[in-house]
Amino acid sequence: MPSASIRYLGFIIRFIVLGLAIAFVIRWIAPSLTGASPDSPSANPPAATANNSASMVSAEGPFSYNNAVTRASPAVVSIYANKITTVRQYRIVPDPITRRLFGAIAAGPAYRKQEHSLGSGVVFSADGYVLTNNHVIDGADDIQLLLSDGRVAQARIIGADADTDLAVLKIDAADLPTIAVADQGEVSVGDVVLAIGNPFGVGKTVTMGIVSATGRQLRLSAYEDFIQTDAAINFGNSGGALVNARGELVGINTAVYRNGGGDGRSGGSQQDAEGIGFAIPVATAKAVLDQIIKHGMVIRGWLGTEYADLDAITPRNPDVQKGVIVLGVLPGGPADQAGIGRGDILLRVNGEDIESQAALRSMEAGLAPGSTARIDGVRSGSSFSVQLQVMQRPSRIATSG
């Protein structure tokens, strides 16, 4: 009798387990048969997960930057510049004494050769003002622009500024698509950026990356505040647009880092480092553009001195935390007339602290020629203050930076 009861109880337990298993399977395969609401979280967990994922994607950024490209790309043009140069071949004399005395010997008559330069540009006005890099069109006799609609236009140079490596071109056209400029023009490390240009002449190309750093100094030109990016920039991209995720211009692509020498601005044999490109900030580019259109050149103030950061010349003086040290003074220039001399430490211009030699170069460039500037500094441990008459910066001078 007890064994029969145990068998009967086992049968009941197996029946209950089987029923629960069948109910579980039916609930997942056909929830409507169980009376569960499809809208309830427990009835449809995948939908809840999808909604959370969509919300996260919306907060982090879009899947596509097509809208940004569509907005900016029509204002980017391809530039083909040609120039005629005189070339002469030379033969190296094997004898070292003769070579020192006479150098290389001409191997034949000089001949004329046509050179080609490839780059990109950005349309800033509907009537045909285009901004590009100076090194793209420097010395060119013939400049052709390929527009986004397939037209080819002859361009002329309005003005160039070697100190920032920028140049302004003009084509005879109307109703051209123009670039949208970022309101503040400021970018932060980590911002998504797109580089638009014509690398190696393959056609208009868009590459994506982020802002890797800001305020980079490469000593390629006098005024530098480069945006560094890992968006691919190649030969032919120079002068093209660097835009943000909204398609607004934040920089003009200008150079890549070369780990084998060179300045990264031309298609030479040097070895390019990957993911290290540089662009001129749009604020600098726009200021140069406006001045060239207005004056045909960039007008900058000048103090008539060469200077460097304190750390570059001498160990940091604990009593002087900021400023630059004067390396040389142009005879008869503003600083010389004001009594500033070699070794003086300059601390402030018109009451504004000098953070570095790059900052001072920008500060003096912003001074109006003919205006008076107050310079505060330290000389042989004693403070001094002088007034000087600002001059216009010569078009090309040697700089310490």
Side-chain angles (χ1 to χ4, degrees):
M1 185 68 180
S3 60
S5 299
I6 293 175
R7 285 196 301 271
Y8 178 75
L9 181 60
F11 173 77
I12 295 297
I13 292 174
R14 285 194 297 272
F15 182 79
I16 293 173
V17 171
L18 178 62
L20 290 174
I22 293 173
F24 180 79
V25 171
I26 293 175
R27 178 180 177 85
W28 281 102
I29 294 178
S32 59
L33 297 178
T34 64
S37 173
D39 297 329
S40 65
S42 61
N44 196 6
T49 303
N51 290 336
N52 291 337
S53 299
S55 176
M56 185 179 300
V57 169
S58 177
E60 293 179 355
F63 281 111
S64 172
Y65 296 96
N66 176 261
N67 289 339
V69 174
T70 301
R71 183 182 187 187
S73 183
V76 180
V77 300
S78 298
I79 298 177
Y80 303 87
N82 305 301
K83 64 181 177 180
I84 303 296
T85 59
T86 301
V87 179
R88 183 186 294 272
Q89 292 183 338
Y90 290 90
R91 180 168 59 88
I92 302 299
V93 180
D95 179 55
I97 297 178
T98 305
R99 187 164 59 246
R100 282 199 299 268
L101 291 175
F102 302 103
I105 298 176
Y111 62 94
R112 294 168 68 80
K113 176 183 177 182
Q114 187 175 47
E115 295 184 356
H116 307 280
S117 179
L118 174 68
S120 304
V122 180
V123 179
F124 268 80
S125 68
D127 59 347
Y129 283 104
V130 177
L131 189 66
T132 187
N133 282 141
N134 178 58
H135 72 264
V136 171
I137 55 85
D138 188 26
D141 306 303
D142 176 66
I143 303 173
Q144 304 282 337
L145 268 60
L146 176 61
L147 307 181
S148 60
D149 59 6
R151 288 181 294 163
V152 176
Q154 185 77 31
R156 64 184 186 274
I157 301 174
I158 300 300
D161 181 49
D163 287 333
T164 55
D165 190 30
L166 290 169
V168 178
L169 308 177
K170 180 69 169 65
I171 61 175
D172 294 326
D175 300 324
L176 293 174
T178 59
I179 197 74
V181 178
D183 290 339
Q184 302 298 325
E186 297 179 356
V187 293
S188 301
V189 175
D191 287 354
V192 171
V193 286
L194 310 172
I196 308 176
N198 182 16
F200 298 106
V202 300
K204 189 175 292 185
T205 302
V206 181
T207 56
M208 187 193 78
I210 63 169
V211 174
S212 306
T214 58
R216 289 297 197 208
Q217 305 289 319
L218 303 182
R219 299 190 177 183
L220 298 180
S221 51
Y223 299 95
E224 297 182 342
D225 187 24
F226 287 124
I227 300 168
Q228 180 182 330
T229 177
D230 65 344
I233 296 175
N234 295 287
F235 172 65
N237 275 111
S238 291
L242 187 72
V243 303
N244 60 23
R246 294 182 294 275
E248 300 167 335
L249 187 72
V250 296
I252 299 293
N253 301 320
T254 190
V256 294
Y257 184 79
R258 287 271 164 82
N259 59 11
D263 63 5
R265 291 175 171 170
S266 61
S269 61
Q270 296 90 347
Q271 190 176 15
D272 294 348
E274 292 186 8
I276 307 180
F278 301 95
I280 300 168
V282 68
T284 299
K286 188 66 167 58
V288 169
L289 173 78
D290 292 341
Q291 286 220 45
I292 288 179
I293 292 176
K294 184 176 181 179
H295 304 293
M297 60 181 296
V298 178
I299 298 175
R300 297 183 175 94
W302 186 52
L303 303 180
T305 63
E306 292 186 16
Y307 41 78
D309 293 327
L310 294 176
D311 290 342
I313 304 299
T314 182
R316 172 70 72 177
N317 185 338
D319 297 328
V320 181
Q321 298 299 320
K322 299 178 181 179
V324 299
I325 186 169
V326 176
L327 302 179
V329 177
L330 179 71
D336 183 45
Q337 295 180 18
I340 295 175
R342 179 182 176 89
D344 288 350
I345 297 176
L346 309 184
L347 301 178
R348 288 176 295 278
V349 176
N350 290 334
E352 184 178 352
D353 289 341
I354 300 172
E355 302 288 343
S356 64
Q357 59 91 14
L360 177 55
R361 186 165 291 119
S362 297
M363 292 165 67
E364 70 171 321
L367 298 172
S371 65
T372 300
R374 175 184 169 181
I375 307 296
D376 298 314
V378 174
R379 178 183 300 135
S380 300
S382 300
S383 300
F384 72 88
S385 180
V386 297
Q387 301 279 340
L388 58 74
Q389 194 83 11
V390 180
M391 291 177 59
Q392 181 173 327
R393 177 184 173 88
S395 57
R396 290 302 298 266
I397 64 171
T399 65
S400 61

